[in-house]
Amino acid sequence: MLARLQRGITMVIQGTLSWQAVLQKIIVSSKERQRLANELGINTITLTRWAKEDSHPQRSYLARLVKVVHPHQRAELLNALLVAYPDMQDKLMEETTEYVPSPFFRQILKDRASIIETMRPWQISNTVLDEALRLLDPNQLGMAVTPALCMPPVGNKILSLREHGGRGTDPWDTDLEHESIFLGMNCLAGHVVQSGRASSVRDVKRERYIPVFAHPEGMEISSAAAPIWLEGKIAGCLLASSTQLEHFTQTRLDLLLNLANIFALALNPDDFYPHQMVQLRYIPKPPIQEQYLRTFRQLVTSRMIQAGRRNETLNNAEAEKAAWQELEETLIRVGAELDESEM
């Protein structure tokens, strides 16, 4: 039996262990028991007493406990505490702040001013993505944040987006570069870039109007995206995925939009396009894309060999760009041939 809280988490009530039982599992290791006691400012005997079924520690300690356990243990403990103390939802979930911290702003401006142009996009992008994870998923329940940027125009039209790296917390990998896929009008990211407005999907499995390309499948429960603008031109969007139901409250969506605005500083002016150029096409879902994306490195090598035979100079970056464009063309053609149920 599922119980849905007002925001941020779905919990299983029937069959859920008590929070004391969950804590017992966590502190089996004496080393971990000592670490938690130190973090909480108590002794190990008190912590062991808490793990008994009839214990009732001060609630401020319970809120702190959620934050100091390891991330992979946090979701189970949090669920169990919310069953025992439903009135503590606000305290335990700790709603995200509405504002981006000023030290982060200072770091971004410093990087923008001091890092050479070739390294700046990578450095600022990773800094923004790491901060997004910290602010949007303070309890580390599981999130991925990925920039989905416009592909170069074809015939003066932007036809698709492509994910560029990304960062994640468990169950996603930390570095999502190898998970990059194409996105089109038939997904949340495409909808946001086409409309130019931030949007969210509260429940990926129930959404009917704005499908989400959950990738890898089964991990993404809710999602949100915010457009990346500069001087009235658009570069794509910042896409966030969570393991939690209805995670993207209006506060978190506003924060994602602020982070997307900051992310614009990681990009070059020629990465932005007039919005009227955005005319996205249908792109196949990730499982269909995979067979084509696996050929990327082969396409790059082929391009460089062909250039060598023609005595032309083609560096790796140019060969990769050409390979991505070839894959885009292929996926748009495949997407046009799919029926609605396959999109």
Side-chain angles (χ1 to χ4, degrees):
M1 175 180 174
L2 290 177
R4 183 177 301 176
L5 296 175
Q6 272 190 323
R7 64 171 192 270
I9 194 164
T10 302
M11 61 184 187
V12 182
I13 289 182
Q14 193 171 28
T16 297
L17 293 174
S18 68
W19 73 266
Q20 293 97 334
V22 175
L23 180 58
Q24 285 175 25
K25 293 195 303 179
I26 293 173
I27 63 173
V28 165
S29 162
S30 59
K31 183 177 179 180
E32 181 62 9
R33 186 161 60 247
Q34 186 62 61
R35 185 190 73 83
L36 290 176
N38 292 341
E39 291 281 358
L40 293 165
I42 60 175
N43 59 49
T44 55
I45 296 175
T46 299
L47 186 61
T48 303
R49 190 186 310 125
W50 287 1
K52 296 180 179 178
E53 290 295 332
D54 59 349
S55 65
H56 300 283
Q58 293 181 23
R59 295 190 176 197
S60 59
Y61 278 114
L62 294 178
R64 175 66 180 159
L65 179 62
V66 170
K67 294 175 177 59
V68 297
V69 297
H70 289 301
H72 70 277
Q73 300 166 328
R74 193 166 291 148
E76 184 179 17
L77 178 62
L78 185 57
N79 274 344
L81 282 167
L82 287 170
V83 172
Y85 302 99
D87 58 322
M88 279 188 68
Q89 180 187 345
D90 287 346
K91 185 70 174 176
L92 291 170
M93 292 301 295
E94 189 186 26
E95 181 63 84
T96 304
T97 178
E98 185 178 352
Y99 304 103
V100 177
S102 56
F104 170 67
F105 271 119
R106 287 195 294 270
Q107 183 62 50
I108 291 295
L109 294 175
K110 179 183 176 182
D111 291 347
R112 178 73 179 176
S114 61
I115 296 176
I116 60 174
E117 184 177 353
T118 54
M119 293 295 296
R120 190 171 61 225
W122 179 86
Q123 178 65 42
I124 295 181
S125 171
N126 282 341
T127 301
V128 174
L129 296 178
D130 287 341
E131 186 71 4
L133 289 175
R134 191 183 73 80
L135 294 175
L136 293 170
D137 188 22
N139 289 315
Q140 298 184 42
L141 298 174
M143 179 172 288
V145 183
T146 307
L149 304 181
C150 297
M151 283 290 291
V154 178
N156 215 34
K157 297 176 182 178
I158 304 296
L159 303 181
S160 76
L161 313 171
R162 184 173 69 83
E163 294 181 342
H164 286 245
R167 307 288 281 180
T169 57
D170 188 56
W172 282 275
D173 293 337
T174 301
D175 185 354
L176 301 176
E177 183 68 44
H178 64 289
E179 300 285 359
S180 294
I181 59 173
F182 283 84
L183 301 164
M185 66 181 295
N186 49 320
C187 69
L188 175 63
H191 169 76
V192 164
V193 173
Q194 191 73 63
S195 68
R197 295 187 298 272
S199 186
S200 66
V201 171
R202 298 162 63 115
D203 185 348
V204 168
K205 294 180 180 179
R206 292 177 178 269
E207 178 61 38
R208 294 293 178 265
Y209 299 105
I210 311 175
V212 175
F213 275 21
H215 182 65
E217 291 185 291
M219 293 176 2
E220 187 172 3
I221 304 301
S222 61
S223 188
I228 303 169
W229 290 98
L230 180 69
E231 298 177 353
K233 296 181 179 180
I234 197 164
C237 69
L238 205 56
L239 180 64
S241 306
S242 173
T243 60
Q244 302 303 306
L245 186 69
E246 300 178 359
H247 184 76
F248 295 97
T249 61
Q250 187 59 51
T251 297
R252 289 185 174 126
L253 188 60
D254 291 343
L255 185 58
L256 182 64
L257 185 56
N258 289 335
L259 291 163
N261 290 336
I262 299 170
F263 190 88
L265 296 174
L267 304 176
N268 296 315
D270 56 4
D271 292 322
F272 294 82
Y273 301 94
H275 192 236
Q276 62 266 26
M277 291 178 63
V278 178
Q279 299 185 35
L280 302 180
R281 302 294 191 261
Y282 285 102
I283 297 293
K285 290 181 178 179
I288 298 176
Q289 290 189 42
E290 286 177 2
Q291 60 180 305
Y292 301 100
L293 296 177
R294 280 195 295 266
T295 68
F296 171 70
R297 193 48 57 188
Q298 179 183 339
L299 291 173
V300 173
T301 302
S302 177
R303 289 278 181 168
M304 298 190 78
I305 291 174
Q306 291 171 17
R309 288 172 178 169
R310 295 191 297 265
N311 293 320
E312 297 175 355
T313 301
L314 186 71
N315 61 39
N316 189 69
E318 292 169 334
E320 288 187 349
K321 179 179 178 181
W324 286 126
Q325 289 174 312
E326 184 175 340
L327 284 169
E328 177 193 39
E329 181 181 356
T330 299
L331 291 172
I332 289 174
R333 185 176 67 251
V334 171
E337 296 170 354
L338 297 176
D339 60 41
E340 188 173 343
S341 64
E342 296 176 297
M343 289 181 179

Short mmCIF file of all heavy atoms in Angstrom, two decimals, residues 278-313:
data_model
loop_
_atom_site.label_atom_id
_atom_site.label_comp_id
_atom_site.label_asym_id
_atom_site.label_seq_id
_atom_site.Cartn_x
_atom_site.Cartn_y
_atom_site.Cartn_z
N VAL A 278 13.84 27.25 -33.39
CA VAL A 278 13.57 25.97 -32.74
C VAL A 278 12.33 25.33 -33.34
O VAL A 278 11.20 25.80 -33.15
CB VAL A 278 13.39 26.15 -31.22
CG1 VAL A 278 13.06 24.80 -30.56
CG2 VAL A 278 14.64 26.76 -30.60
N GLN A 279 12.52 24.27 -34.11
CA GLN A 279 11.43 23.52 -34.73
C GLN A 279 11.75 22.04 -34.56
O GLN A 279 12.09 21.35 -35.53
CB GLN A 279 11.27 23.91 -36.20
CG GLN A 279 10.92 25.39 -36.40
CD GLN A 279 10.66 25.73 -37.84
OE1 GLN A 279 10.10 24.93 -38.61
NE2 GLN A 279 11.03 26.94 -38.25
N LEU A 280 11.62 21.56 -33.35
CA LEU A 280 12.06 20.21 -32.99
C LEU A 280 11.26 19.13 -33.69
O LEU A 280 10.07 19.29 -33.95
CB LEU A 280 12.01 20.02 -31.47
CG LEU A 280 12.84 21.01 -30.64
CD1 LEU A 280 12.68 20.71 -29.15
CD2 LEU A 280 14.30 20.96 -31.03
N ARG A 281 11.91 18.02 -33.94
CA ARG A 281 11.30 16.85 -34.56
C ARG A 281 11.13 15.73 -33.53
O ARG A 281 11.66 15.78 -32.43
CB ARG A 281 12.17 16.35 -35.72
CG ARG A 281 12.42 17.39 -36.81
CD ARG A 281 11.11 17.74 -37.53
NE ARG A 281 11.37 18.52 -38.73
CZ ARG A 281 11.26 19.83 -38.83
NH1 ARG A 281 10.90 20.53 -37.75
NH2 ARG A 281 11.50 20.46 -39.96
N TYR A 282 10.39 14.70 -33.92
CA TYR A 282 10.25 13.53 -33.07
C TYR A 282 11.56 12.74 -33.05
O TYR A 282 12.18 12.52 -34.08
CB TYR A 282 9.12 12.62 -33.57
CG TYR A 282 7.74 13.15 -33.29
CD1 TYR A 282 6.99 13.77 -34.28
CD2 TYR A 282 7.18 13.01 -32.02
CE1 TYR A 282 5.73 14.27 -34.02
CE2 TYR A 282 5.91 13.49 -31.74
CZ TYR A 282 5.19 14.12 -32.76
OH TYR A 282 3.94 14.60 -32.49
N ILE A 283 11.94 12.31 -31.85
CA ILE A 283 13.16 11.52 -31.66
C ILE A 283 12.76 10.21 -30.97
O ILE A 283 11.98 10.23 -30.02
CB ILE A 283 14.19 12.28 -30.80
CG1 ILE A 283 14.64 13.57 -31.50
CG2 ILE A 283 15.39 11.40 -30.49
CD1 ILE A 283 15.45 13.36 -32.76
N PRO A 284 13.30 9.07 -31.40
CA PRO A 284 12.95 7.80 -30.75
C PRO A 284 13.36 7.78 -29.28
O PRO A 284 14.28 8.48 -28.87
CB PRO A 284 13.76 6.76 -31.54
CG PRO A 284 14.13 7.44 -32.82
CD PRO A 284 14.22 8.89 -32.53
N LYS A 285 12.69 6.94 -28.51
CA LYS A 285 13.02 6.78 -27.09
C LYS A 285 14.42 6.18 -26.94
O LYS A 285 14.96 5.56 -27.86
CB LYS A 285 11.99 5.88 -26.42
CG LYS A 285 10.62 6.54 -26.28
CD LYS A 285 9.64 5.61 -25.59
CE LYS A 285 8.27 6.29 -25.42
NZ LYS A 285 7.29 5.40 -24.77
N PRO A 286 15.03 6.37 -25.75
CA PRO A 286 16.41 5.91 -25.54
C PRO A 286 16.70 4.46 -25.92
O PRO A 286 17.75 4.21 -26.52
CB PRO A 286 16.62 6.16 -24.04
CG PRO A 286 15.75 7.33 -23.75
CD PRO A 286 14.52 7.15 -24.60
N PRO A 287 15.83 3.48 -25.60
CA PRO A 287 16.17 2.11 -25.99
C PRO A 287 16.36 1.94 -27.50
O PRO A 287 17.19 1.13 -27.93
CB PRO A 287 14.96 1.30 -25.48
CG PRO A 287 14.41 2.11 -24.36
CD PRO A 287 14.59 3.54 -24.79
N ILE A 288 15.60 2.69 -28.29
CA ILE A 288 15.75 2.63 -29.74
C ILE A 288 17.01 3.37 -30.18
O ILE A 288 17.70 2.96 -31.13
CB ILE A 288 14.51 3.20 -30.45
CG1 ILE A 288 13.27 2.37 -30.08
CG2 ILE A 288 14.70 3.23 -31.97
CD1 ILE A 288 11.97 2.90 -30.65
N GLN A 289 17.34 4.45 -29.49
CA GLN A 289 18.53 5.22 -29.83
C GLN A 289 19.83 4.44 -29.63
O GLN A 289 20.81 4.66 -30.34
CB GLN A 289 18.61 6.50 -28.98
CG GLN A 289 17.58 7.55 -29.31
CD GLN A 289 17.87 8.85 -28.56
OE1 GLN A 289 19.02 9.28 -28.47
NE2 GLN A 289 16.83 9.47 -28.03
N GLU A 290 19.83 3.56 -28.64
CA GLU A 290 21.08 2.94 -28.21
C GLU A 290 21.85 2.27 -29.33
O GLU A 290 23.08 2.40 -29.43
CB GLU A 290 20.80 1.93 -27.09
CG GLU A 290 20.47 2.60 -25.75
CD GLU A 290 20.14 1.59 -24.66
OE1 GLU A 290 20.20 0.37 -24.95
OE2 GLU A 290 19.82 2.01 -23.54
N GLN A 291 21.16 1.56 -30.21
CA GLN A 291 21.85 0.84 -31.28
C GLN A 291 22.58 1.79 -32.23
O GLN A 291 23.61 1.45 -32.81
CB GLN A 291 20.87 -0.02 -32.06
CG GLN A 291 19.74 0.76 -32.72
CD GLN A 291 18.79 -0.13 -33.48
OE1 GLN A 291 19.21 -0.89 -34.36
NE2 GLN A 291 17.51 -0.06 -33.14
N TYR A 292 22.05 3.00 -32.36
CA TYR A 292 22.68 4.00 -33.23
C TYR A 292 23.80 4.73 -32.49
O TYR A 292 24.86 5.01 -33.07
CB TYR A 292 21.63 4.99 -33.73
CG TYR A 292 20.51 4.34 -34.50
CD1 TYR A 292 19.28 4.06 -33.90
CD2 TYR A 292 20.67 3.97 -35.83
CE1 TYR A 292 18.25 3.45 -34.59
CE2 TYR A 292 19.65 3.35 -36.54
CZ TYR A 292 18.44 3.09 -35.91
OH TYR A 292 17.42 2.47 -36.61
N LEU A 293 23.58 5.06 -31.21
CA LEU A 293 24.58 5.78 -30.45
C LEU A 293 25.85 4.96 -30.25
O LEU A 293 26.95 5.52 -30.12
CB LEU A 293 24.01 6.19 -29.08
CG LEU A 293 22.83 7.18 -29.12
CD1 LEU A 293 22.30 7.43 -27.72
CD2 LEU A 293 23.23 8.49 -29.78
N ARG A 294 25.71 3.64 -30.26
CA ARG A 294 26.89 2.77 -30.10
C ARG A 294 27.86 2.91 -31.28
O ARG A 294 29.03 2.54 -31.17
CB ARG A 294 26.47 1.31 -29.95
CG ARG A 294 26.00 0.96 -28.54
CD ARG A 294 25.96 -0.55 -28.35
NE ARG A 294 24.98 -1.19 -29.19
CZ ARG A 294 23.72 -1.46 -28.82
NH1 ARG A 294 23.33 -1.14 -27.60
NH2 ARG A 294 22.89 -2.05 -29.65
N THR A 295 27.38 3.43 -32.41
CA THR A 295 28.24 3.57 -33.59
C THR A 295 28.99 4.90 -33.62
O THR A 295 29.72 5.17 -34.57
CB THR A 295 27.40 3.45 -34.88
OG1 THR A 295 26.53 4.61 -35.00
CG2 THR A 295 26.55 2.21 -34.88
N PHE A 296 28.81 5.73 -32.59
CA PHE A 296 29.39 7.09 -32.62
C PHE A 296 30.90 7.08 -32.84
O PHE A 296 31.41 7.76 -33.73
CB PHE A 296 29.06 7.82 -31.31
CG PHE A 296 29.80 9.12 -31.15
CD1 PHE A 296 29.48 10.21 -31.94
CD2 PHE A 296 30.82 9.25 -30.21
CE1 PHE A 296 30.17 11.42 -31.80
CE2 PHE A 296 31.51 10.43 -30.07
CZ PHE A 296 31.19 11.52 -30.87
N ARG A 297 31.63 6.30 -32.05
CA ARG A 297 33.09 6.31 -32.17
C ARG A 297 33.52 5.79 -33.54
O ARG A 297 34.49 6.28 -34.14
CB ARG A 297 33.69 5.47 -31.05
CG ARG A 297 35.18 5.61 -30.87
CD ARG A 297 35.67 7.04 -30.83
NE ARG A 297 35.04 7.85 -29.80
CZ ARG A 297 35.21 9.16 -29.69
NH1 ARG A 297 35.95 9.82 -30.59
NH2 ARG A 297 34.62 9.84 -28.73
N GLN A 298 32.79 4.81 -34.05
CA GLN A 298 33.09 4.29 -35.39
C GLN A 298 32.88 5.36 -36.45
O GLN A 298 33.67 5.48 -37.40
CB GLN A 298 32.18 3.08 -35.66
CG GLN A 298 32.36 2.45 -37.02
CD GLN A 298 31.38 1.31 -37.26
OE1 GLN A 298 30.83 0.74 -36.31
NE2 GLN A 298 31.15 0.99 -38.51
N LEU A 299 31.83 6.16 -36.30
CA LEU A 299 31.56 7.23 -37.26
C LEU A 299 32.67 8.29 -37.21
O LEU A 299 33.07 8.83 -38.25
CB LEU A 299 30.22 7.89 -36.95
CG LEU A 299 28.96 7.04 -37.21
CD1 LEU A 299 27.72 7.77 -36.71
CD2 LEU A 299 28.83 6.75 -38.70
N VAL A 300 33.15 8.60 -36.01
CA VAL A 300 34.24 9.58 -35.87
C VAL A 300 35.49 9.09 -36.60
O VAL A 300 36.11 9.83 -37.38
CB VAL A 300 34.55 9.83 -34.38
CG1 VAL A 300 35.80 10.71 -34.23
CG2 VAL A 300 33.37 10.49 -33.69
N THR A 301 35.85 7.84 -36.36
CA THR A 301 37.03 7.26 -37.01
C THR A 301 36.88 7.27 -38.52
O THR A 301 37.81 7.62 -39.26
CB THR A 301 37.26 5.83 -36.51
OG1 THR A 301 37.42 5.84 -35.10
CG2 THR A 301 38.50 5.23 -37.16
N SER A 302 35.69 6.90 -38.99
CA SER A 302 35.42 6.87 -40.43
C SER A 302 35.58 8.26 -41.05
O SER A 302 36.16 8.40 -42.13
CB SER A 302 34.02 6.33 -40.68
OG SER A 302 33.71 6.36 -42.06
N ARG A 303 35.08 9.27 -40.37
CA ARG A 303 35.19 10.65 -40.87
C ARG A 303 36.66 11.07 -41.00
O ARG A 303 37.05 11.71 -41.98
CB ARG A 303 34.46 11.60 -39.92
CG ARG A 303 32.95 11.48 -39.95
CD ARG A 303 32.37 12.26 -41.09
NE ARG A 303 30.92 12.18 -41.12
CZ ARG A 303 30.14 12.95 -41.87
NH1 ARG A 303 30.70 13.87 -42.64
NH2 ARG A 303 28.84 12.81 -41.85
N MET A 304 37.46 10.72 -40.03
CA MET A 304 38.87 11.12 -40.05
C MET A 304 39.65 10.37 -41.12
O MET A 304 40.54 10.93 -41.79
CB MET A 304 39.49 10.90 -38.67
CG MET A 304 38.83 11.75 -37.58
SD MET A 304 39.69 11.77 -36.00
CE MET A 304 41.02 12.91 -36.36
N ILE A 305 39.32 9.09 -41.32
CA ILE A 305 39.97 8.31 -42.38
C ILE A 305 39.62 8.89 -43.75
O ILE A 305 40.50 9.07 -44.62
CB ILE A 305 39.56 6.83 -42.29
CG1 ILE A 305 40.16 6.20 -41.03
CG2 ILE A 305 40.01 6.07 -43.53
CD1 ILE A 305 39.69 4.78 -40.77
N GLN A 306 38.34 9.22 -43.94
CA GLN A 306 37.91 9.79 -45.22
C GLN A 306 38.61 11.12 -45.49
O GLN A 306 39.02 11.40 -46.62
CB GLN A 306 36.40 9.97 -45.22
CG GLN A 306 35.61 8.67 -45.24
CD GLN A 306 34.11 8.90 -45.03
OE1 GLN A 306 33.62 10.01 -45.18
NE2 GLN A 306 33.41 7.84 -44.66
N ALA A 307 38.73 11.95 -44.45
CA ALA A 307 39.40 13.24 -44.62
C ALA A 307 40.87 13.04 -44.98
O ALA A 307 41.42 13.76 -45.83
CB ALA A 307 39.28 14.05 -43.33
N GLY A 308 41.51 12.04 -44.35
CA GLY A 308 42.91 11.76 -44.66
C GLY A 308 43.10 11.33 -46.11
O GLY A 308 44.08 11.72 -46.76
N ARG A 309 42.19 10.53 -46.60
CA ARG A 309 42.28 10.07 -47.99
C ARG A 309 42.13 11.22 -48.99
O ARG A 309 42.66 11.17 -50.10
CB ARG A 309 41.21 9.01 -48.26
CG ARG A 309 41.49 7.67 -47.58
CD ARG A 309 40.32 6.73 -47.72
NE ARG A 309 40.61 5.43 -47.11
CZ ARG A 309 39.69 4.49 -46.90
NH1 ARG A 309 38.42 4.71 -47.26
NH2 ARG A 309 40.04 3.34 -46.35
N ARG A 310 41.41 12.26 -48.56
CA ARG A 310 41.23 13.43 -49.43
C ARG A 310 42.28 14.51 -49.15
O ARG A 310 42.19 15.62 -49.67
CB ARG A 310 39.83 14.02 -49.23
CG ARG A 310 38.69 13.09 -49.65
CD ARG A 310 37.37 13.84 -49.68
NE ARG A 310 36.99 14.32 -48.36
CZ ARG A 310 36.18 13.67 -47.51
NH1 ARG A 310 35.68 12.50 -47.88
NH2 ARG A 310 35.89 14.18 -46.33
N ASN A 311 43.25 14.16 -48.30
CA ASN A 311 44.30 15.11 -47.91
C ASN A 311 43.71 16.37 -47.27
O ASN A 311 44.22 17.47 -47.46
CB ASN A 311 45.17 15.49 -49.11
CG ASN A 311 46.00 14.31 -49.61
OD1 ASN A 311 46.53 13.53 -48.80
ND2 ASN A 311 46.09 14.17 -50.93
N GLU A 312 42.62 16.19 -46.53
CA GLU A 312 41.99 17.30 -45.81
C GLU A 312 42.35 17.23 -44.33
O GLU A 312 42.60 16.14 -43.79
CB GLU A 312 40.47 17.24 -45.97
CG GLU A 312 39.99 17.41 -47.41
CD GLU A 312 38.48 17.22 -47.54
OE1 GLU A 312 37.84 16.87 -46.52
OE2 GLU A 312 37.96 17.41 -48.65
N THR A 313 42.38 18.39 -43.70
CA THR A 313 42.66 18.45 -42.26
C THR A 313 41.34 18.41 -41.49
O THR A 313 40.46 19.24 -41.72
CB THR A 313 43.42 19.73 -41.89
OG1 THR A 313 44.64 19.77 -42.63
CG2 THR A 313 43.72 19.77 -40.40
#
